Amino acid sequence: MFESALDFDEVSIHLGGREILSPTSFSVKPGEFVCVIGPSGCGKTTLLRAAAGFVTPSGGQVSRKGQAIMGPSREVAFVFQDYGRALLPWRTVQANVSLALEAAQVPAAQRQARIARVLETVGLSAHAGKFPAQLSGGMQQRVQIARCLAQEPALMMMDEPFGALDAMTRESLQDELARLVREQGLTVMFVTHDLEEAIYLGDRVIALRANPTAGEPSLAAMLDVPLPQPRNQLTTKEHPEFLRLRRELYQYLGHH
Ligand SMILES: Nc1ncnc2c1ncn2[C@@H]1O[C@H](COP(=O)(O)OP(=O)(O)O)[C@@H](O)[C@H]1O
Ligand SMILES: [Mg+2]
């Protein structure tokens, strides 16, 4: 039987007496890369937090492999935009990655090898002994991603992870992420407010509407991205299908 990695079944979320997410349903398949876009304040972070079990829905259910999610789990890793706050400044790169292993109570004897492996995966082997302040923003974000990989999660939740980086660094991290997600068979939900980033990385894009009102669902659109893999910063973005999707999503997002 086919199992989905994540299911949202009529999930609604109220916070502070307001409806942040109106009933929303979708499924994420194992190995799928799903991007979530929408204007600031539309509930992207809230949706991701619900998927990770940090927020309990007011209605409906979030489940993973058919099991309702009752709270945070080590199976789900969360990458925050603000790498500066996600990393401990007094710990070296390897000691920051080690946090995930300490939390999972991985025996000390096994930690070094796992840390070395994930640092190699994100290209930071040469910087294992440095402190976050000695690294560029892009490298710090790689450390956070390495820490998530060390957790060996089934699902990766990424909340605008490249939003604070310059354009060149962002593009190289997009390509690195796409490669390692494919290599490791990870399932990803990736929030961004950048349309092109969503199409470039996603197998599918979910667009949320700003300010859902009664009767208007949060989910504005769900589009498959049938662009060939591996993607390429030049050719993918010149592909007629890329331009068509960009135009369609642009319209859904309310730039009428
Ligand atoms: N804990 C909370 N209590 C009350 N309101 C919240 C809380 N968290 C988020 N919100 C509100 O929910 C809305 C959606 O927030 P968020 O999910 O962070 O949006 P996005 O990530 O799309 O910018 C915002 O209006 C925000 O102020
Ligand atoms: Mg947000």
Side-chain angles (χ1 to χ4, degrees), residues 125-174:
S125 300
H127 306 281
K130 292 190 179 156
F131 290 93
Q134 295 174 287
L135 304 176
S136 67
M139 288 160 89
Q140 289 183 52
Q141 192 55 298
R142 283 202 194 99
V143 177
Q144 196 191 171
I145 291 170
R147 189 170 68 198
C148 285
L149 292 175
Q151 195 179 322
E152 299 185 342
L155 279 165
M156 282 248 280
M157 302 290 151
M158 308 186 80
D159 194 1
E160 308 204 30
F162 307 148
L165 303 172
D166 65 85
M168 297 267 282
T169 305
R170 187 157 65 231
E171 290 187 353
S172 62
L173 277 187
Q174 285 169 351

Side-chain angles (χ1 to χ4, degrees), residues 6-235:
L6 184 72
D7 282 294
F8 269 56
D9 183 16
E10 293 291 304
V11 173
S12 63
I13 297 172
H14 291 74
L15 292 172
R18 220 158 50 78
E19 183 176 62
I20 308 298
L21 197 72
S22 72
T24 300
S25 301
F26 63 87
S27 296
V28 179
K29 292 179 228 134
E32 201 178 11
F33 198 126
V34 175
C35 292
V36 181
I37 55 165
S40 185
C42 72
K44 302 182 296 297
T45 294
T46 304
L47 181 140
L48 217 55
R49 288 168 58 82
F54 301 162
V55 172
T56 309
S58 331
Q61 184 172 282
V62 182
S63 49
R64 202 158 54 235
K65 296 190 201 155
Q67 295 263 305
I69 292 179
M70 307 308 275
S73 149
R74 282 210 189 88
E75 295 223 320
V76 185
F78 208 105
V79 177
F80 302 93
Q81 173 174 347
D82 193 351
Y83 43 81
R85 282 169 60 187
L87 301 177
L88 296 179
W90 58 85
R91 280 195 173 214
T92 61
V93 166
Q94 56 190 340
N96 265 286
V97 173
S98 178
L99 277 175
L101 303 177
E102 292 161 29
Q105 295 176 334
V106 173
Q110 292 172 24
R111 287 183 207 151
Q112 279 315 317
R114 263 168 82 169
I115 292 168
R117 199 172 66 226
V118 294
L119 287 180
E120 163 102 59
T121 303
V122 301
L124 285 179
S125 300
H127 306 281
K130 292 190 179 156
F131 290 93
Q134 295 174 287
L135 304 176
S136 67
M139 288 160 89
Q140 289 183 52
Q141 192 55 298
R142 283 202 194 99
V143 177
Q144 196 191 171
I145 291 170
R147 189 170 68 198
C148 285
L149 292 175
Q151 195 179 322
E152 299 185 342
L155 279 165
M156 282 248 280
M157 302 290 151
M158 308 186 80
D159 194 1
E160 308 204 30
F162 307 148
L165 303 172
D166 65 85
M168 297 267 282
T169 305
R170 187 157 65 231
E171 290 187 353
S172 62
L173 277 187
Q174 285 169 351
D175 291 337
E176 273 181 45
L177 177 68
R179 173 185 55 79
L180 76 88
V181 163
R182 270 204 322 280
E183 280 174 8
Q184 317 225 338
L186 289 166
T187 307
V188 181
M189 284 197 76
F190 184 104
V191 164
T192 174
H193 57 250
D194 179 341
L195 266 180
E196 300 199 350
E197 184 171 63
I199 302 166
Y200 186 69
L201 288 174
D203 296 315
R204 198 145 51 104
V205 179
I206 291 176
L208 299 183
R209 214 173 247 120
N211 308 315
T213 49
E216 221 192 7
S218 287
L219 208 152
M222 189 146 70
L223 301 178
D224 286 324
V225 183
L227 289 163
Q229 296 276 11
R231 307 244 163 110
N232 174 285
Q233 293 287 352
L234 280 178
T235 56

